[in-house]
Amino acid sequence: MDKNNTNQTRPPIVVVLGHVDHGKTTLLDAIRKTNVTAKEAGGITQKIGASVVETKEGKKITFIDTPGHAAFTKMRGRGAQVADIAVLVVAQDDGVKPQTKEALEIIKETGIPFIVAGTKSDVAGVSAEKLQGELEKEEVYFEGRGGNIPFVSVSARNSTGITELLEMLTLMADVAELKGDPNAPVEAVVIESGKDKMGSTATVVVRQGSIKVGEAVFAEELPCKVRALFDDKGKGIKEVTPGLPAGVFGFTDVPTVGATVLSMPHKGEEVEKKVRGTFDLRRLKDDEIPVIIKADNAGSLEAIIASLPPRIVVVGQGVGDVTASDIIDAKTGNAYVFVFEAKIPNDIVKLAEAEKIKVERFQIIYELLQKLDEILKKGQVIELGHAEVLASFPFDHKKVAGCKVIDGRLSKGDALIIKREDKEIGKGKATSLRKQKTEVASVGQSEEFGVIIDPQLDFQVGDIITSISK
């Protein structure tokens, strides 16, 4: 490459988007002649990867393979922001699905040109025309049908349509006249980050300038003295130029996915810290469940945290293997430890067992989220009935609440919560229920009764008693 030419053609950066299980990674397998899918848990891509493909004409194309699971919408969006062209993958035997529509929204928001790859063309009975008709309802209008969006019918299994797809991408890149200056100040984007034995790492795609071994760059304000660079095949390189991806080693901490990498730190911009590792000991509500989340990379960590259901409170988070500090924090905060793809060393397993801390590891994100739902349901508070305190009188050296049921039922032995103007003043148990002088097992709507609560609480007329089941 001529270093004196400041306006050189660079490889197009192509993002692959689409619904889960519509064949995005399998399509890239056919293009790259590799087998990424077989190495992934559950066959689902769960982090952004980048690879470079060279066409028969010797032209390079950089592909970003984005995750298909709904939890990674933010990562898909960031992938599209760094790209020049998008490939919307839609299975011809399945048609338009929710994540197809999400991908289209991302494409439209970023305004990048795109091509539709209709996968699984080898499946008996499928129709490219039918799929095009479905997509036209989503305002996608194709060449030859009154629009300008290219459509390529492909089969990864039979490797049909692959050449046509690459030719179309090359043509679109030529029309866009993509240029990059290797001598310009560095402008790159972090598409993945994490930790390994070499320390903090990041996968970046360069749009302008060059990143060289030994030089300094900054992801937002996070510094990096580049100790090593690796290409998409894991080979050590000395520099990475516009349009190409690389693994970068030397960051002082794990950079945020989506961060812009420049030659100088970003002045005046807030550095996002939520995926760097924190511990929060704030007071939790009774129905909130504390968890510590550890993941093997920042992108996955961010996506998991963004997908957590209400009442799950992240009191600790971080990238990398589970440590003794995580277990101690979990004990302090009475928290679960959920691990996504990161490792749990044997000594940490023993420490967790000794401290009676629940640590679980997952390889598929929806299994982690499903487990959290189970925990929520198990600990869910169900309100069985409500009653208003109408009077207070003594009985057998105890204080009895004279009440009337507003709705539902209250039973002897129920757990009770007493509130005054929506503010909780105490909890107890119904040790005795009486209607007039008769002991009863339960009372229903509109019934008046007396209740003895253990422990004795300082209730007042007008307070509301709620019977709950856990």
Side-chain angles (χ1 to χ4, degrees):
M1 186 177 284
D2 181 5
K3 294 290 184 180
N4 294 319
N5 188 338
T6 62
N7 195 29
Q8 301 176 39
T9 300
R10 65 166 175 80
I13 303 167
V14 179
V15 62
V16 183
L17 302 168
H19 188 74
V20 63
D21 198 33
H22 273 199
K24 299 182 300 298
T25 306
T26 307
L27 175 61
L28 282 174
D29 287 347
I31 294 173
R32 298 177 301 207
K33 302 299 181 183
T34 61
N35 189 19
V36 176
T37 304
K39 301 174 185 176
E40 293 170 352
I44 300 173
T45 305
Q46 301 190 87
K47 50 191 172 186
I48 291 177
S51 56
V52 179
V53 171
E54 191 167 326
T55 68
K56 294 179 180 179
E57 293 75 26
K59 295 186 176 181
K60 292 181 178 180
I61 301 174
T62 295
F63 284 95
I64 301 174
D65 177 22
T66 63
H69 191 275
F72 292 91
T73 300
K74 291 178 70 175
M75 292 173 67
R76 285 204 303 271
R78 282 173 173 165
Q81 288 168 6
V82 72
D84 305 303
I85 304 169
V87 175
L88 177 63
V89 172
V90 191
Q92 295 189 47
D93 65 339
D94 206 15
V96 175
K97 293 295 179 183
Q99 289 172 4
T100 311
K101 296 179 181 180
E102 288 178 12
L104 273 171
E105 288 180 9
I106 292 169
I107 290 169
K108 291 175 181 178
E109 287 173 3
T110 56
I112 61 174
F114 71 104
I115 179 174
V116 174
T119 59
K120 304 185 181 181
S121 64
D122 57 295
V123 176
V126 300
S127 167
E129 289 74 18
K130 180 182 177 182
L131 176 59
Q132 289 175 328
E134 284 188 45
L135 285 164
E136 284 170 351
K137 294 178 181 178
E138 304 299 326
E139 300 182 348
V140 178
Y141 303 111
F142 296 99
E143 292 177 343
R145 296 170 64 106
N148 60 359
I149 306 299
F151 180 93
V152 179
S153 186
V154 300
S155 168
R157 179 183 298 177
N158 298 334
S159 294
T160 56
I162 304 299
T163 299
E164 291 82 355
L165 177 62
L166 294 177
E167 287 176 350
M168 183 58 68
L169 289 171
T170 300
L171 176 61
M172 293 174 73
D174 289 343
V175 170
E177 296 184 337
L178 302 172
K179 304 293 182 180
D181 180 3
N183 291 324
V186 173
E187 180 187 332
V189 178
V190 176
I191 61 170
E192 189 51 275
S193 60
K195 281 185 178 181
D196 65 11
K197 294 179 180 178
M198 294 182 67
S200 299
T201 67
T203 300
V204 306
V205 174
V206 178
R207 293 188 64 89
Q208 285 287 354
S210 301
I211 297 177
K212 301 177 182 179
V213 173
E215 294 188 349
V217 293
F218 296 83
E220 312 297 358
E221 293 181 347
L222 186 67
C224 172
K225 179 68 176 292
V226 181
R227 294 194 288 116
L229 289 171
F230 293 89
D231 65 15
D232 62 303
K233 298 176 180 61
K235 180 182 177 181
I237 54 177
K238 295 296 183 182
E239 69 174 313
V240 55
T241 52
L244 298 175
V248 181
F249 294 82
F251 283 99
T252 56
D253 202 345
V254 179
T256 303
V257 172
T260 303
V261 178
L262 302 176
S263 302
M264 296 294 290
H266 300 215
K267 298 296 183 182
E269 293 189 15
E270 182 179 353
V271 180
E272 184 175 345
K273 297 179 180 179
K274 77 173 189 177
V275 297
R276 302 264 177 88
T278 61
F279 185 69
D280 179 10
L281 273 179
R282 73 172 177 82
R283 183 179 177 85
L284 301 181
K285 298 177 181 178
D286 291 332
D287 62 346
E288 291 180 326
I289 296 174
V291 297
I292 292 175
I293 305 290
K294 294 298 293 279
D296 67 330
N297 61 73
S300 294
L301 180 63
E302 180 184 21
I304 290 167
I305 292 173
S307 304
L308 295 177
R311 293 170 44 216
I312 295 293
V313 178
V314 179
V315 297
Q317 56 186 281
V319 172
D321 296 349
V322 181
T323 65
S325 178
D326 295 322
I327 302 303
I328 300 304
D329 285 347
K331 183 176 181 180
T332 303
N334 193 28
Y336 292 85
V337 179
F338 277 16
V339 186
F340 183 70
E341 289 200 336
K343 296 178 182 178
I344 312 172
N346 290 334
D347 59 328
I348 301 302
V349 172
K350 294 178 181 178
L351 176 62
E353 291 174 350
E355 298 294 342
K356 297 181 180 180
I357 299 300
K358 186 72 171 178
V359 181
E360 294 194 56
R361 185 177 185 272
F362 301 85
Q363 290 183 283
I364 299 177
I365 189 172
Y366 56 72
E367 290 182 354
L368 184 155
L369 298 176
Q370 186 178 40
K371 181 64 176 181
L372 284 172
D373 283 334
E374 291 174 2
I375 292 172
L376 282 173
K377 289 176 182 177
K378 184 177 179 181
Q380 188 172 19
V381 173
I382 300 173
E383 297 186 354
L384 302 175
H386 302 84
E388 182 180 0
V389 178
L390 304 178
S392 173
F393 51 88
F395 175 77
D396 195 19
H397 305 293
K398 293 183 179 179
K399 189 177 179 183
V400 177
C403 307
K404 183 177 181 178
V405 180
I406 300 171
D407 56 55
R409 298 192 69 82
L410 283 81
S411 301
K412 184 178 179 179
D414 281 356
L416 304 177
I417 297 176
I418 300 180
K419 292 184 178 180
R420 184 174 302 146
E421 297 179 350
D422 291 328
K423 183 178 180 181
E424 183 179 313
I425 64 169
K427 294 180 180 178
K429 181 178 180 180
T431 58
S432 175
L433 284 181
R434 290 178 179 266
K435 290 182 63 177
Q436 296 182 350
K437 295 183 179 181
T438 305
E439 186 80 19
V440 294
S442 64
V443 288
Q445 187 165 347
S446 299
E447 290 186 302
E448 295 187 357
F449 66 99
V451 59
I452 296 176
I453 304 170
D454 184 32
Q456 290 279 285
L457 299 172
D458 187 24
F459 56 81
Q460 297 178 5
V461 173
D463 290 348
I464 301 298
I465 296 178
T466 301
S467 173
I468 63 173
S469 173
K470 291 188 176 181

